[in-house]
Amino acid sequence: MIKKLLLLCLLFVSACTYAETIKTDVLVIGGGASGVSAAIQSARSRVKTMLIEQSSWLGGSLTSGGFCYAEANRNFPSGIYGEFRKRVRDVYKLRLGYDTAYNAPLAYEPATGAAILKKLTDTVKNLTVKLNTTFTDVKKDGTGWELVILADKQKTTIKAKVLIDATELGDVVSKIGVLMTAGFDSRGDTKEALAPQNATNQIQDISYLAVLKDYGRNTDHTIPQPDGYDPSKYTCLQKADIRKLLDAAKLPNDKYLVNWDGCASQYSVTGEDLQPEHRAETFRKARLHTLGLIYYLQTVLGYKNLGFADDFNTPDHLPYIPYIRENRRAAGLVRMVLDDIYTPYSRGSQLYRTAIAISDALPGQHYSEAGVPHINYPPFPAFSIPLGAIVVKDQDNLLVTEKALSVTHLVNGAVTDPAVQMTLGQGAGATAAFCAFFKTTTQNLMPRVIQGEILDFGGYLMPFADIKQTDPAWRAIQQIGATGMLKGAQRVSGNRADILFMPDSTVTTAEIKPYLEEIYSRSFIWFNQEKPGQLFTVANIISYISNMNLRDPKNLEDALQKSWKSYYHFPTEFKTDRPITRREFAVLANRFFNPFARKVDISGKMVN
């Protein structure tokens, strides 16, 4: 009798466990660079958030994938990515030779990065993190979502108002059946002049990276010969400067990151190779390719002193996951194309006005397969990533990051860098929190409200390289820049182009007049009456503000003169007859007539 009762109790407990349902405002699937950042921002935005990660580490490519030498966005310590950078540097700053310059690449050991992210998430209220947890099913639940997750062989149902697919390969949106594309888009489809004539299924190579350690000159750490080893695959390294390659990605504690192009650690794949049914075999072959590289380095090239570091608890000491540069891209409310990067101000859509993140990464072209089109990109500018690219089309409250972002193939290579994804994740988290907090859906997004939240937490909207976050005018310039009233300018340097605000340059009447007349009906009358000269002066803006705000011009002039340096921190002298600088105009415009408050839609067009 007692045994039967115990059995019934066990069955009852099991049934209850299986039937358990948890409700949350925002559910993030995938604890990679973007997923961690999205979850942190969502929780900080005062909504209940849950993060699900299938492995035991947070960080994805930044940690589990071994991508621990981050060069992208190093001029932009944006929000949560800036926090991560600071914490990494605090760990290593006392190490001899560790580079702590403002824009130095971020180098760290993978386990250290994962521990920092875990500690960071542990301190965030409203956030629950579940590691070693997978999702098995997903379906619509009204305007929200219902998922079944599996942890410790126990199934749990999660109901969420907003769902973020931050998996490395877009596994959630794929399971839902969202329209997705992979490989090169055709020129006829995207209207990009650099796109090939015909679409292909070829995507960028994946790479199993390797973290090696120098164990000393007379040591031998040669690994066993890998299965299928073919030395001819690595002959491109015969003429390479191996020491230069190693030093280019030197990590703390005499370690080196091997992430070499060409015949080295790259492994060619197509979109089909990364489908769930083919993924395990593809990854197995890619691992063997990198192991062959290490064996070649040790035996043919003579670097026996270089052996695997103990960063990853795997049988072959390679990372837990490969570094994946591209996969299938979801159809979003907008699709970002190359012209949104090269000529953002002259397009019908003004997507930069809806910016939620920035990137200064160059578009990768990592193909070891012969015959893949090579794109001759002009110098590539830093750019903003628009809100509509993370919002899945025809699905309420479903957002995407990582490789499923709604961009073209030619843009993709500049947005999937893990440092960029961490910046993007913050924007996704703020967007999800907006929907949950205001009890609305992605059909009713308000870009300016979401952008304000991102700015509140130190995130960048505009990639102005000459305005640091410590600048007192930083937020005003970010907001004015996002309106397009004052536009950034490109400064080419080699194969890239910085975007500059040029705060000390003077403002011309021609550049601000069209915008002011568009958003303020009384501007037309003011310009006809005042007839400002070619250069807009301090006196002009005093007159304009007093006219718009119905404020006595003399009182306004006196107030500005008193607060010019003490409150506004302007380095210049207060003189009404001189041309006004872009810094001064941005700060005063932002305060007195606040164009950033004007609503814009998902395409960046102003809403009356």
Side-chain angles (χ1 to χ4, degrees), residues 93-135:
K93 63 184 179 182
L94 298 180
R95 304 288 179 94
L96 184 65
Y98 189 79
D99 192 348
T100 58
Y102 172 78
N103 63 345
L106 188 66
Y108 55 93
E109 294 159 291
T112 299
I116 287 172
L117 292 175
K118 180 64 167 61
K119 189 173 182 179
L120 185 58
T121 56
D122 286 344
T123 63
V124 179
K125 295 180 180 180
N126 303 316
L127 176 59
T128 300
V129 177
K130 289 184 176 292
L131 300 175
N132 302 305
T133 302
T134 59
F135 83 97

Side-chain angles (χ1 to χ4, degrees), residues 43-154:
R44 285 177 175 173
S45 294
R46 303 173 298 284
V47 299
K48 188 177 180 182
T49 305
M50 181 177 289
L51 172 63
I52 304 300
E53 164 55 35
Q54 65 180 355
S55 75
S56 59
W57 279 19
L58 294 175
S61 296
L62 280 172
T63 58
S64 299
F67 196 95
C68 50
Y69 191 86
E71 297 184 90
N73 278 6
R74 56 187 180 179
N75 286 307
F76 305 108
S78 180
I80 295 166
Y81 180 60
E83 289 182 57
F84 177 67
R85 284 178 63 89
K86 183 179 185 305
R87 290 187 181 223
V88 168
R89 291 183 172 192
D90 285 346
V91 170
Y92 294 111
K93 63 184 179 182
L94 298 180
R95 304 288 179 94
L96 184 65
Y98 189 79
D99 192 348
T100 58
Y102 172 78
N103 63 345
L106 188 66
Y108 55 93
E109 294 159 291
T112 299
I116 287 172
L117 292 175
K118 180 64 167 61
K119 189 173 182 179
L120 185 58
T121 56
D122 286 344
T123 63
V124 179
K125 295 180 180 180
N126 303 316
L127 176 59
T128 300
V129 177
K130 289 184 176 292
L131 300 175
N132 302 305
T133 302
T134 59
F135 83 97
T136 61
D137 193 23
V138 54
K139 64 181 181 181
K140 207 76 183 72
D141 181 31
T143 58
W145 295 90
E146 180 178 300
L147 283 88
V148 177
I149 64 171
L150 183 65
D152 297 325
K153 299 181 180 180
Q154 299 293 326

Side-chain angles (χ1 to χ4, degrees), residues 219-469:
T219 61
D220 186 348
H221 289 268
T222 304
I223 64 173
Q225 180 175 302
D227 292 343
Y229 171 68
D230 180 359
S232 66
K233 293 180 179 179
Y234 313 102
T235 53
C236 71
L237 294 175
Q238 285 282 4
K239 297 181 180 180
D241 186 337
I242 300 299
R243 178 48 58 183
K244 184 177 180 180
L245 288 174
L246 291 168
D247 288 342
K250 194 174 189 309
L251 307 178
N253 295 320
D254 298 318
K255 297 179 182 180
Y256 303 90
L257 175 63
V258 175
N259 179 19
W260 299 343
D261 291 344
C263 73
S265 50
Q266 290 180 202
Y267 184 79
S268 179
V269 293
T270 66
E272 283 299 311
D273 294 326
L274 296 183
Q275 290 296 299
E277 62 271 24
H278 303 139
R279 202 172 291 171
E281 179 62 13
T282 299
F283 290 174
R284 184 188 71 83
K285 292 178 179 177
R287 294 184 84 95
L288 287 173
H289 182 76
T290 295
L291 290 173
L293 161 67
I294 303 306
Y295 185 74
Y296 186 90
L297 178 68
Q298 294 170 328
T299 56
V300 177
L301 300 182
Y303 287 85
K304 296 180 180 180
N305 57 305
L306 294 178
F308 281 109
D310 58 356
D311 292 81
F312 303 106
N313 187 25
T314 56
D316 56 14
H317 302 293
L318 288 177
Y320 300 109
I321 61 173
Y323 176 45
I324 298 172
R325 299 175 175 88
E326 186 177 5
N327 192 35
R328 297 191 300 165
R329 305 179 295 279
L333 291 183
V334 303
R335 179 170 63 166
M336 189 177 186
V337 301
L338 273 183
D339 286 345
D340 293 314
I341 295 175
Y342 281 104
T343 57
Y345 302 116
S346 59
R347 291 175 51 73
S349 59
Q350 305 282 291
L351 296 187
Y352 71 91
R353 290 179 175 167
T354 71
I356 58 169
I358 59 170
S359 170
D360 68 357
L362 295 176
Q365 298 192 72
H366 298 87
Y367 306 101
S368 54
E369 186 75 15
V372 178
H374 179 81
I375 308 301
N376 293 314
Y377 290 95
F380 205 78
F383 60 94
S384 300
I385 303 173
L387 171 61
I390 67 168
V391 184
V392 177
K393 187 178 182 181
D394 300 328
Q395 296 283 351
D396 284 329
N397 291 358
L398 179 59
L399 308 177
V400 291
T401 60
E402 297 292 340
K403 290 76 187 176
L405 199 65
S406 181
V407 298
T408 63
H409 169 83
L410 297 186
V411 172
N412 172 85
V415 296
T416 58
D417 184 285
V420 175
Q421 283 292 318
M422 183 167 273
T423 305
L424 177 67
Q426 184 167 4
T431 305
F434 170 86
C435 293
F437 186 83
F438 290 105
K439 297 180 174 59
T440 188
T441 72
T442 45
Q443 297 181 36
N444 303 304
L445 294 175
M446 299 176 67
R448 291 295 188 230
V449 175
I450 295 168
Q451 290 174 319
E453 186 77 353
I454 295 168
L455 290 169
D456 284 347
F457 288 91
Y460 280 70
L461 305 179
M462 307 302 294
F464 295 139
D466 53 347
I467 304 293
K468 291 185 178 181
Q469 204 169 38

